[in-house]
């Protein structure tokens, strides 16, 4: 039992697990922001442009015999919930679909930015080589050396390991 607890502790404090947990929490918060953006900012003007439609209340009533407490036909999601009618809430689906498209676009842009930074990182020029191999013993020596520090061979010119 102690072995399992030790393994679980190592797993739980591993960097990837903590990063994942932080990502899930931030993702949930971001999802709430996007839902509010869709429901409170985007859909009201769209509904207004389409003749004052409130998409969150658009339904297809599957129980036409069920009426509101006052005997009226059910026309909104709130009325259907109150009366216990079975409905298809296509307006809610439209809102969730727009939520998804916005979140997917934001994630796409984030991944695109990360990939751009990674590409930029790989295009860094290679640093100038400061060592070279001795032609005689193949040991690494400074490029400006005139004599090998390992085999003491005389090197012809600075940085050139051609035999003399």
């Amino acid at each position: 039992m102690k072995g399992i607890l030790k393994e679980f502790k190592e797993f739980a404090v591993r960097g990837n697990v903590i990063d994942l947990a932080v990502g899930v929490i931030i993702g949930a918060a971001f999802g709430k922001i996007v839902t509010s953006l869709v429901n409170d900012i985007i859909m009201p003007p769209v509904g207004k442009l389409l003749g004052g439609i409130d998409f969150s209340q658009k339904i297809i009533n599957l129980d036409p015999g069920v009426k509101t407490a006052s005997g009226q036909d059910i026309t909104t999601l709130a009325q259907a919930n109150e009366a216990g009618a079975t409905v298809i809430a296509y307006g809610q689906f439209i809102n969730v679909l727009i939520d998804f498209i916005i979140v997917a676009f934001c994630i796409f842009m984030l991944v695109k930015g990360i990939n751009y930074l990674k590409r930029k990182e790989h295009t860094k020029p290679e640093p100038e080589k400061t060592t070279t191999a001795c032609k005689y013993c193949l040991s690494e020596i400074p490029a400006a050396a005139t004599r090998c520090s390992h085999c003491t061979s005389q090197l012809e010119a600075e940085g050139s390991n051609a035999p003399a």
Side-chain angles (χ1 to χ4, degrees):
M1 185 67 176
K2 287 184 181 182
I4 292 175
L5 290 175
K6 182 180 177 190
E7 285 183 52
F8 177 74
K9 181 182 173 188
E10 288 173 6
F11 169 78
V13 296
R14 216 181 277 162
N16 294 344
V17 174
I18 294 171
D19 291 345
L20 178 63
V22 169
V24 167
I25 292 167
I26 289 176
F30 181 70
K32 289 180 182 178
I33 291 170
V34 171
T35 299
S36 176
L37 172 72
V38 170
N39 293 339
D40 304 330
I41 307 292
I42 295 174
M43 293 312 284
V46 169
K48 187 76 167 168
L49 288 172
L50 296 174
I53 298 172
D54 179 8
F55 278 97
S56 66
Q57 295 298 317
K58 298 309 280 180
I59 61 167
I60 296 174
N61 188 354
L62 299 178
D63 286 335
V66 177
K67 306 285 184 189
T68 64
S70 61
Q72 297 175 329
D73 287 336
I74 294 172
T75 57
T76 67
L77 184 59
Q79 290 172 339
N81 289 337
E82 186 179 309
T86 305
V87 297
I88 296 175
Y90 70 89
Q92 292 283 19
F93 178 75
I94 291 170
N95 286 351
V96 171
L97 187 65
I98 293 170
D99 279 359
F100 171 77
I101 290 169
I102 292 171
V103 170
F105 180 74
C106 290
I107 291 171
F108 168 76
M109 294 306 291
L110 179 69
V111 169
K112 188 172 174 74
I114 290 170
N115 288 342
Y116 173 77
L117 291 175
K118 282 183 181 178
R119 266 184 271 132
K120 208 170 187 181
E121 184 179 290
H122 290 297
T123 59
K124 291 180 183 174
E126 297 233 358
E128 188 177 321
K129 195 170 181 184
T130 59
T131 62
T132 188
C134 172
K135 297 277 186 194
Y136 302 105
C137 68
L138 301 177
S139 299
E140 284 289 316
I141 57 173
T146 57
R147 186 176 291 271
C148 177
S149 60
H150 299 280
C151 69
T152 67
S153 297
Q154 184 71 38
L155 305 175
E156 186 175 282
E158 184 178 311
S160 165
N161 288 335

